[in-house]
Amino acid sequence: MSEDYNCSQETIIVHGVTPYDSRTGAISTPIYLSSTFRHPELFQSTGFDYSRSLNPTRLELENTIARLEKGRYGLAFASGMSAISALIKLFAPGDHIIVSIDLYGGTYRLFHDIYEPYGLHFSWVDTDDLEATKNALRPGTKAVFIETPSNPMMKVTDIRATADIIHSHGQKHGQEGYLIVDNTFLSPYYQNPLELGADFVVHSGTKYISGHNDTLSGFIVHDDETIAEKLRFLQMSEGGTLSPFESWLILRGLKTLAVRMDRQSENALVVAMWLQTHPKVESVYYVGLPDHPHHELSLRQSKGFGGMVSFSLKDSADVASLLKNIRLILFAESLGGVETLLTYPMVQTHQAIPPDMRERTGVTDRLMRLSVGLERAQDIIADLKQALD
Ligand SMILES: *Cc1c(COP(=O)(O)O)cnc(C)c1O
C-alpha cells in the first residue's frame, strides 16, 4: 500500500503499511529474529545494522502505528512505561510539566518517584478544567501531559484547547511548549490527538492495540522532524525496544482493532446503562452515557467512547464480595483485551498515588473499573448481577 494510497483507518488497521512481503509474497509480516545484519561492504548498509537500533518487523509496526495516528514518526518500546520514560528525557532538569491529576498510577510513579529527584518539576492538575491548566503555567512550563478520557474517572480534556494553551505559552517565552497525549484508552482508531494539535502521542500498546492481554508494548508517535533523530537516539541508546516476536504479536492483534473497539464500545454502553439501574451502584462513569458531563466534547474530538466503564458502589463493604463472586469477569488489572476485567483501582492500578490525591480525584475505596470485553453483553450483566446481589 503506497503512502499516497488514501484509505480508511479500518483498512490500514487490517493491512498495515506493507500488506505483503515483496520477496516472498508472505501476507503475515515475517519475524526477523536476527540481532545483527550483514553489511555488503565498508560504509554500506541494508538500512539495518543491529536490532536494538532498527529491526524490520518492529519497523513495520512502528510505521503502521504512525500511519494510524496520522504522524510521520513512530517508535515501539517494550512497554508503555518505557515509551513514556524515553519521551520525558526530551526535557531537562528545571523544566516544569503539567500532568493530568487523574492518570495511570505507573505514570505518576515514574514522574514523581524517578524524574522528580532528577530535577524535573510536575504539577498535578484537573486538565479537563482549562482554567486550571492555565493557572498552573509557569515560565519554565515546557509541556502538558494528559490522559483523555482519564484513568479511571473518565474525564475528558479538550485536546485542541489545551494544545493552544501550551503552544502560546511556549511562544510567549520563546521556548518549546508541547502537548503530550496518552491515547491508550481510545486507541488510534477512535482518537487522533496529533490532528487536534497535540505534539506527541504515547500509548500503552499492551491494551487495545494488542487487544489480547498477551503482549506488553508502548509507542510514541509524533510529527516533528527535529525531534525525530533525538527520540530514535534515545530509543536506541536506552535499549527498551520492542522485540521482533512481540512486534509481530502486536501486528497480529492490531488487525482486529476496529471490530474489537466497536463491539467493546457497544457492550460498554449496555453495561453502563444497566449499572445505572442497580440499587447498590452509586455512580457510573462512562463517556458514552448522554448525561456524562463531557459527552459533547467527546463527540467533537473522538470517533467513539471505548470500552472503559468505572462505577462506585454505595457501600465499600460490597467490594470484596463483588470481586470474590464474579464468575465470568476476571478480577485483574489491565484493560483493552477481549476478556472483561474488573479492577479495584485503589489497590491495583492507582496504588502508587498518595491517598489524598486519590481522594481528590475520586479514586475511593468504593470505585471499581471495568474493561468491557467481547463477550455477550447480557452475559457480562448477568455475572455482575449475580455477584452484586
Ligand atoms: C497501562 C497503561 C500505561 C502503562 O503501560 P504498560 O504497557 O503497562 O507499561 C500507561 N498509560 C495508560 C493509560 C495505561 O493504561
Side-chain angles (χ1 to χ4, degrees):
M1 206 182 311
S2 72
E3 277 292 323
D4 49 59
Y5 190 87
N6 188 21
C7 57
S8 61
Q9 291 284 85
E10 285 91 333
T11 303
I12 300 166
I13 283 169
V14 172
H15 289 277
V17 166
T18 313
Y20 61 91
D21 177 49
S22 58
R23 195 169 62 84
T24 63
I27 283 165
S28 172
T29 304
I31 307 171
Y32 290 91
L33 289 173
S34 198
S35 56
T36 189
F37 299 84
R38 174 189 168 269
H39 301 300
E41 53 183 278
L42 188 63
F43 302 126
Q44 282 197 8
S45 163
T46 57
F48 300 97
D49 304 320
Y50 187 64
S51 272
R52 173 155 40 74
S53 325
L54 213 59
N55 172 277
T57 313
R58 190 169 65 236
L59 186 62
E60 170 62 12
L61 176 62
E62 293 179 326
N63 290 340
T64 300
I65 297 291
R67 185 90 180 268
L68 289 173
E69 277 293 9
K70 321 276 171 108
R72 283 201 284 165
Y73 307 98
L75 297 135
F77 292 83
S79 68
M81 294 326 303
S82 60
I84 295 172
S85 186
L87 183 62
I88 225 66
K89 292 200 186 68
L90 292 178
F91 301 95
D95 287 352
H96 172 245
I97 302 175
I98 295 170
V99 187
S100 295
I101 190 167
D102 183 31
L103 90 165
Y104 178 65
T107 306
Y108 173 83
R109 183 175 49 214
L110 181 74
F111 291 172
H112 180 267
D113 295 5
I114 298 178
Y115 285 105
E116 237 165 41
Y118 280 96
L120 291 180
H121 305 297
F122 300 93
S123 292
W124 316 97
V125 172
D126 273 312
T127 53
D128 58 302
D129 174 359
L130 297 172
E131 286 308 308
T133 301
K134 280 185 200 154
N135 290 336
L137 290 167
R138 303 179 195 166
T141 306
K142 300 283 179 71
V144 179
F145 182 106
I146 61 172
E147 273 182 32
T148 180
S150 66
N151 182 3
M153 299 310 293
M154 311 297 160
K155 291 178 176 178
V156 181
T157 296
D158 188 325
I159 296 174
R160 195 178 288 285
T162 308
D164 289 346
I165 291 172
I166 186 65
H167 290 160
S168 46
H169 183 74
Q171 263 161 17
K172 193 170 123 192
H173 293 271
Q175 63 194 23
E176 62 269 37
Y178 298 128
L179 176 62
I180 304 164
V181 179
D182 181 333
N183 202 26
T184 301
F185 267 34
L186 288 184
S187 90
Y189 176 53
Y190 275 164
Q191 183 166 274
N192 295 126
L194 296 183
E195 280 195 329
L196 297 163
D199 303 282
F200 298 94
V201 172
V202 293
H203 276 284
S204 168
T206 312
K207 316 295 169 54
Y208 286 101
I209 289 176
S210 151
H212 293 75
N213 289 322
D214 59 8
T215 323
L216 291 166
S217 64
F219 299 97
I220 302 175
V221 181
H222 68 107
D223 239 357
D224 190 319
E225 203 176 333
T226 56
I227 285 191
E229 285 285 305
K230 205 165 172 185
L231 278 174
R232 261 292 170 215
F233 176 79
L234 277 166
Q235 185 201 33
M236 181 274 288
S237 302
E238 293 193 320
T241 47
L242 194 63
S243 80
F245 183 64
E246 318 283 285
S247 298
W248 180 82
L249 273 173
I250 300 286
L251 280 167
R252 178 182 155 116
L254 181 68
K255 287 177 186 286
T256 53
L257 177 69
V259 281
R260 282 189 279 108
M261 290 236 59
D262 284 343
R263 175 68 178 273
Q264 278 165 294
S265 302
E266 244 174 74
N267 278 357
L269 181 61
V270 176
V271 172
M273 283 166 62
W274 177 82
L275 280 167
Q276 281 188 315
T277 67
H278 197 281
K280 287 190 177 162
V281 173
E282 184 183 61
S283 311
V284 180
Y285 307 94
Y286 180 59
V287 189
L289 291 168
D291 58 1
H292 186 286
H294 302 140
H295 184 76
E296 291 300 317
L297 170 60
S298 184
L299 281 172
R300 263 186 280 135
Q301 68 181 17
S302 322
K303 292 179 217 88
F305 303 111
M308 297 304 296
V309 178
S310 294
F311 60 97
S312 58
L313 294 168
K314 285 180 184 150
D315 188 349
S316 61
D318 289 330
V319 170
S321 79
L322 170 63
L323 291 171
K324 185 168 167 221
N325 289 310
I326 42 174
R327 291 200 288 248
L328 171 76
I329 298 167
L330 302 152
F331 170 30
E333 49 199 293
S334 201
L335 61 112
V338 295
E339 301 92 356
T340 297
L341 305 182
L342 186 58
T343 302
Y344 190 29
M346 189 184 83
V347 302
Q348 293 180 293
T349 49
H350 289 66
Q351 201 249 337
I353 294 178
D356 59 319
M357 209 168 128
R358 280 201 308 251
E359 280 295 324
R360 230 176 94 197
T361 52
V363 184
T364 65
D365 60 351
R366 294 176 292 117
L367 187 82
M368 312 302 297
R369 194 189 74 185
L370 199 57
S371 170
V372 179
L374 292 183
E375 302 90 342
R376 257 194 117 87
Q378 288 314 316
D379 292 340
I380 300 167
I381 289 172
D383 193 35
L384 285 170
K385 182 167 164 39
Q386 66 80 24
L388 279 168
D389 295 347

